[in-house]
Amino acid sequence: QVHLAESGGGLVQAGGSLKLSCTASERSFTSRAMGWFRQTPGKEREIVAAIRRSNGATYSEDSLKDRFTIALNKAKNTVYLQMNSLEPEDTALYFCAAGAGYYRVEEYDVWGQGTQVTVSA
């Protein structure tokens, strides 16, 4: 069983930046894609960004693509989410995930525990 561990969340002022990291317990990824998702109370989990392991193709949610960037370091078995120009509306629990698809929530079957990102005004 592969475990994903997120880190890098925390409290940041509006306009600031955070870099989230997600490291797999296994040395090698076998998933077709890795992704970042976020969720707030009462709302469905939503895509933030995703990346295909094979070719590095990336997907970003339209409203976030100019501020958030996903990257994968295969050697370190780690996926990152660089978050810039953060806004209070970005406050959420951010999840790392691995799966066989690309950017749909239902395509992922391995999830981290989540890391909280809180952006203060």
Side-chain angles (χ1 to χ4, degrees), residues 12 32 119:
V12 64
R32 186 175 184 85
V119 184

Side-chain angles (χ1 to χ4, degrees), residues 89-109:
E89 292 75 19
D90 295 319
T91 296
L93 187 64
Y94 284 73
F95 295 90
C96 171
Y102 196 12
Y103 53 79
R104 295 176 64 86
V105 172
E106 57 266 34
E107 294 172 333
Y108 289 81
D109 53 14

Side-chain angles (χ1 to χ4, degrees), residues 39-108:
Q39 187 170 21
T40 57
K43 297 178 63 177
E44 294 184 355
R45 192 168 299 181
E46 63 180 6
I47 181 70
V48 173
I51 185 168
R52 289 189 180 275
R53 182 174 178 82
S54 60
N55 60 9
T58 61
Y59 169 89
S60 296
E61 198 277 328
D62 286 345
S63 66
L64 304 175
K65 62 183 178 63
D66 294 331
R67 300 187 294 116
F68 291 10
T69 303
I70 191 171
L72 176 65
N73 187 320
K74 295 180 180 180
K76 295 183 178 181
N77 223 18
T78 300
V79 64
Y80 305 93
L81 182 68
Q82 179 66 50
M83 310 166 68
N84 299 322
S85 301
L86 285 164
E87 304 169 354
E89 292 75 19
D90 295 319
T91 296
L93 187 64
Y94 284 73
F95 295 90
C96 171
Y102 196 12
Y103 53 79
R104 295 176 64 86
V105 172
E106 57 266 34
E107 294 172 333
Y108 289 81

